[in-house]
Amino acid sequence: MADNTQPIDESAVVLTDDAGRFLPCQVEQSFQLNDREYLLLLPIDAPIEIFVWQQDDNDDDVLMDVEEEEIDQVFLTAKAVLAEQNLTLQRTAITLTASGEIPEAEEDNCLTLELDDLDDAGNPVTEEFQILATCFYDDEEYTLCTPLDPLLIFAHRTSDGSLEVVTPEEFQTIRGGLEEKLFDLLE
């Protein structure tokens, strides 16, 4: 995952993934936990998700995540479609992003996806997206979206000063401490 950082200024860092892609992020919070510096980061440009319409076992059309290889195939088409809205699709670390002015979200261009996860109460976790555009590639329909909630990234500083994104496993082990630190910072 992301393993390097280059400072832009004191409030921003650039994450770099193993493929050499960059993701400029704003530092929202930083704090010490278990003798490590943790940072809560927010991408500077809008995160972009690409979904494809496919039929499920009941022949219903459902939106599915696009895998990395498929993003490579549809990327130039998606980039051209977003360019029509003065948005520049970028192949960045961790997530695709778009620079430019994202239009205001309206009820008729938003959708809610039910994720496979359950919350603490046992209810399905949902995520809301704003549909920015649709495009076709190789007879498949793709939907380009941005999440309505901010994409927050937890990272920790390594001994050499670079940043590593906190893995889901590490997040679960430090979750209580992170929540406590965040609540303390918000008060």
Side-chain angles (χ1 to χ4, degrees):
M1 271 224 152
D3 58 6
N4 293 320
T5 181
Q6 297 174 338
I8 296 174
D9 63 37
E10 291 180 19
S11 64
V13 294
V14 177
L15 294 173
T16 306
D17 68 9
D18 295 335
R21 296 180 296 224
F22 297 97
L23 180 64
C25 293
Q26 186 71 33
V27 177
E28 295 295 309
Q29 296 288 337
S30 70
F31 46 87
Q32 293 290 322
L33 179 66
N34 301 335
D35 298 323
R36 266 195 171 159
E37 180 185 10
Y38 285 88
L39 296 100
L40 181 60
L41 306 173
L42 181 66
I44 291 173
D45 292 322
I48 299 295
E49 293 282 338
I50 300 178
F51 299 105
V52 63
W53 286 97
Q54 295 183 341
Q55 288 189 338
D56 66 6
D57 296 336
N58 301 326
D59 290 332
D60 293 327
D61 286 333
V62 294
L63 279 177
M64 303 292 291
D65 282 327
V66 173
E67 301 297 324
E68 190 75 21
E69 309 81 43
E70 202 170 354
I71 289 174
D72 291 337
Q73 296 169 358
V74 74
F75 183 80
L76 291 177
T77 302
K79 184 174 184 166
V81 169
L82 287 180
E84 293 173 6
Q85 297 183 38
N86 296 320
L87 297 171
T88 303
L89 184 63
Q90 303 165 115
R91 198 64 201 255
T92 50
I94 301 171
T95 184
L96 296 172
T97 59
S99 62
E101 184 85 22
I102 299 290
E104 284 292 318
E106 296 177 11
E107 191 173 326
D108 63 338
N109 70 352
C110 292
L111 61 90
T112 301
L113 294 180
E114 195 171 292
L115 306 178
D116 292 334
D117 299 327
L118 299 176
D119 64 15
D120 294 336
N123 299 316
V125 175
T126 60
E127 191 168 358
E128 294 184 293
F129 292 91
Q130 176 185 353
I131 300 170
L132 299 174
T134 58
C135 64
F136 290 87
Y137 179 83
D138 201 22
D139 295 327
E140 299 276 358
E141 182 180 0
Y142 294 87
T143 299
L144 312 173
C145 301
T146 188
L148 291 179
D149 291 329
L151 173 63
L152 297 173
I153 302 167
F154 280 104
H156 64 85
R157 197 168 301 278
T158 64
S159 59
D160 68 0
S162 64
L163 290 180
E164 285 184 0
V165 174
V166 173
T167 64
E169 298 79 20
E170 181 183 2
F171 180 79
Q172 290 306 318
T173 62
I174 61 171
R175 183 177 178 177
L178 284 175
E179 289 172 350
E180 186 178 311
K181 288 285 187 182
L182 287 174
F183 286 130
D184 288 348
L185 289 170
L186 294 174
E187 291 179 345

